[in-house]
Amino acid sequence: MVMFLFLVVALAVVVGAVTLAVVGGGENGPLPEAAPERLRDPLPPDRPVDRADVEGLRFPLAARGYRMADVDDALGRLGAELAERDARIADLESALAGARSAATHGPVHASGPAHASGEDHVSMDKRPEDRP
Protein backbone atom coordinates (compact mmCIF):
# COMPACT_ATOMS: atom_id res chain seq x y z
CA MET A 1 0.00 0.00 0.00
CA VAL A 2 2.86 2.36 0.79
CA MET A 3 4.43 1.62 -2.58
CA PHE A 4 1.12 2.42 -4.39
CA LEU A 5 0.81 5.71 -2.49
CA PHE A 6 4.41 6.59 -3.35
CA LEU A 7 3.78 5.94 -7.07
CA VAL A 8 0.62 8.08 -7.08
CA VAL A 9 2.45 11.00 -5.42
CA ALA A 10 5.43 10.65 -7.80
CA LEU A 11 3.10 10.61 -10.79
CA ALA A 12 1.31 13.74 -9.53
CA VAL A 13 4.65 15.54 -9.10
CA VAL A 14 5.79 14.60 -12.62
CA VAL A 15 2.47 15.67 -14.17
CA GLY A 16 2.60 18.97 -12.26
CA ALA A 17 6.19 19.66 -13.35
CA VAL A 18 5.44 18.95 -16.99
CA THR A 19 2.30 21.12 -16.89
CA LEU A 20 4.26 23.99 -15.33
CA ALA A 21 7.02 23.69 -17.91
CA VAL A 22 4.59 23.68 -20.84
CA VAL A 23 2.17 26.35 -19.69
CA GLY A 24 4.29 29.03 -18.11
CA GLY A 25 7.79 27.81 -17.62
CA GLY A 26 11.00 28.59 -19.38
CA GLU A 27 13.10 31.70 -19.27
CA ASN A 28 11.28 33.45 -22.16
CA GLY A 29 7.78 32.94 -20.85
CA PRO A 30 5.01 31.25 -22.82
CA LEU A 31 5.52 30.43 -26.48
CA PRO A 32 4.36 33.09 -28.93
CA GLU A 33 1.32 32.39 -31.09
CA ALA A 34 2.28 30.90 -34.43
CA ALA A 35 0.94 32.64 -37.50
CA PRO A 36 -1.37 30.41 -39.51
CA GLU A 37 0.26 28.89 -42.55
CA ARG A 38 -1.00 30.42 -45.78
CA LEU A 39 -0.90 29.29 -49.38
CA ARG A 40 2.67 29.98 -50.56
CA ASP A 41 2.24 29.22 -54.26
CA PRO A 42 -0.89 31.05 -55.39
CA LEU A 43 -2.00 30.73 -58.97
CA PRO A 44 -0.71 33.54 -61.19
CA PRO A 45 -3.24 36.39 -61.42
CA ASP A 46 -1.73 37.99 -64.54
CA ARG A 47 -1.83 35.05 -66.98
CA PRO A 48 -3.80 31.86 -67.64
CA VAL A 49 -3.00 28.87 -65.48
CA ASP A 50 -0.92 26.18 -67.16
CA ARG A 51 -0.04 22.60 -66.28
CA ALA A 52 3.12 23.53 -64.36
CA ASP A 53 1.12 25.91 -62.13
CA VAL A 54 -1.34 23.16 -61.21
CA GLU A 55 1.41 20.58 -60.63
CA GLY A 56 3.36 23.00 -58.43
CA LEU A 57 0.35 24.00 -56.34
CA ARG A 58 0.78 22.92 -52.70
CA PHE A 59 -1.82 23.58 -50.05
CA PRO A 60 -0.74 24.18 -46.45
CA LEU A 61 -1.96 21.70 -43.88
CA ALA A 62 -4.48 22.77 -41.26
CA ALA A 63 -5.73 21.02 -38.13
CA ARG A 64 -8.10 18.76 -40.08
CA GLY A 65 -6.55 18.58 -43.53
CA TYR A 66 -6.30 21.56 -45.87
CA ARG A 67 -7.62 25.08 -45.44
CA MET A 68 -10.98 25.08 -47.18
CA ALA A 69 -10.69 28.72 -48.29
CA ASP A 70 -7.41 28.10 -50.13
CA VAL A 71 -8.75 24.98 -51.85
CA ASP A 72 -12.04 26.70 -52.75
CA ASP A 73 -10.18 29.69 -54.25
CA ALA A 74 -7.92 27.47 -56.34
CA LEU A 75 -10.79 25.27 -57.55
CA GLY A 76 -12.92 28.32 -58.36
CA ARG A 77 -10.11 29.83 -60.43
CA LEU A 78 -9.47 26.56 -62.27
CA GLY A 79 -13.19 26.06 -62.91
CA ALA A 80 -13.56 29.56 -64.35
CA GLU A 81 -10.58 29.10 -66.65
CA LEU A 82 -11.82 25.70 -67.83
CA ALA A 83 -15.26 27.16 -68.58
CA GLU A 84 -13.65 30.01 -70.53
CA ARG A 85 -11.52 27.58 -72.52
CA ASP A 86 -14.53 25.32 -73.20
CA ALA A 87 -16.49 28.31 -74.53
CA ARG A 88 -13.55 29.33 -76.72
CA ILE A 89 -13.23 25.77 -78.08
CA ALA A 90 -16.97 25.66 -78.82
CA ASP A 91 -16.73 29.00 -80.70
CA LEU A 92 -13.78 27.78 -82.74
CA GLU A 93 -15.47 24.45 -83.56
CA SER A 94 -18.60 26.30 -84.64
CA ALA A 95 -16.56 28.61 -86.87
CA LEU A 96 -14.72 25.63 -88.33
CA ALA A 97 -17.99 23.81 -89.04
CA GLY A 98 -19.33 26.94 -90.78
CA ALA A 99 -16.17 27.26 -92.86
CA ARG A 100 -16.33 23.59 -93.85
CA SER A 101 -19.99 23.94 -94.77
CA ALA A 102 -19.27 26.98 -96.91
CA ALA A 103 -16.38 25.15 -98.59
CA THR A 104 -18.55 22.15 -99.51
CA HIS A 105 -21.45 24.26 -100.84
CA GLY A 106 -19.17 26.48 -102.89
CA PRO A 107 -18.76 30.26 -102.89
CA VAL A 108 -21.63 32.65 -103.55
CA HIS A 109 -21.47 33.90 -107.16
CA ALA A 110 -22.44 37.36 -108.33
CA SER A 111 -24.98 35.90 -110.74
CA GLY A 112 -27.02 34.40 -107.87
CA PRO A 113 -30.61 35.40 -107.13
CA ALA A 114 -29.66 37.76 -104.28
CA HIS A 115 -27.43 39.83 -106.54
CA ALA A 116 -29.99 39.87 -109.36
CA SER A 117 -32.60 41.47 -107.11
CA GLY A 118 -30.23 44.26 -106.10
CA GLU A 119 -29.54 43.04 -102.54
CA ASP A 120 -26.02 43.07 -101.21
CA HIS A 121 -24.46 39.99 -99.61
CA VAL A 122 -23.67 40.57 -95.92
CA SER A 123 -21.15 38.27 -94.26
CA MET A 124 -21.99 37.05 -90.74
CA ASP A 125 -18.32 36.22 -90.01
CA LYS A 126 -16.56 38.15 -87.29
CA ARG A 127 -14.39 41.00 -88.42
CA PRO A 128 -10.68 40.63 -87.51
CA GLU A 129 -10.93 43.41 -84.93
CA ASP A 130 -13.82 41.60 -83.18
CA ARG A 131 -11.87 38.38 -82.73
CA PRO A 132 -10.23 37.82 -79.33
Side-chain angles (χ1 to χ4, degrees):
M1 174 78 172
V2 174
M3 187 63 152
F4 178 72
L5 187 58
F6 175 74
L7 287 174
V8 170
V9 169
L11 182 63
V13 168
V14 169
V15 169
V18 169
T19 302
L20 241 152
V22 170
V23 172
E27 56 191 56
N28 295 334
L31 294 174
E33 288 293 321
E37 190 176 359
R38 297 288 181 197
L39 185 61
R40 289 185 299 259
D41 300 321
L43 297 173
D46 57 342
R47 62 177 173 78
V49 176
D50 61 10
R51 182 182 179 131
D53 294 327
V54 175
E55 288 175 351
L57 188 61
R58 298 291 178 257
F59 295 106
L61 293 177
R64 290 177 276 161
Y66 297 107
R67 292 180 37 112
M68 288 192 308
D70 290 339
V71 175
D72 288 345
D73 290 345
L75 289 177
R77 170 82 188 274
L78 291 173
E81 287 203 14
L82 286 174
E84 181 180 323
R85 289 179 186 177
D86 287 346
R88 178 74 176 136
I89 289 170
D91 288 344
L92 291 173
E93 286 178 344
S94 174
L96 181 61
R100 284 183 178 162
S101 174
T104 58
H105 290 18
V108 176
H109 296 289
S111 62
H115 190 276
S117 65
E119 297 176 9
D120 291 329
H121 174 71
V122 177
S123 173
M124 298 303 289
D125 293 337
K126 290 184 177 180
R127 294 180 303 210
E129 62 268 15
D130 291 342
R131 293 181 189 151

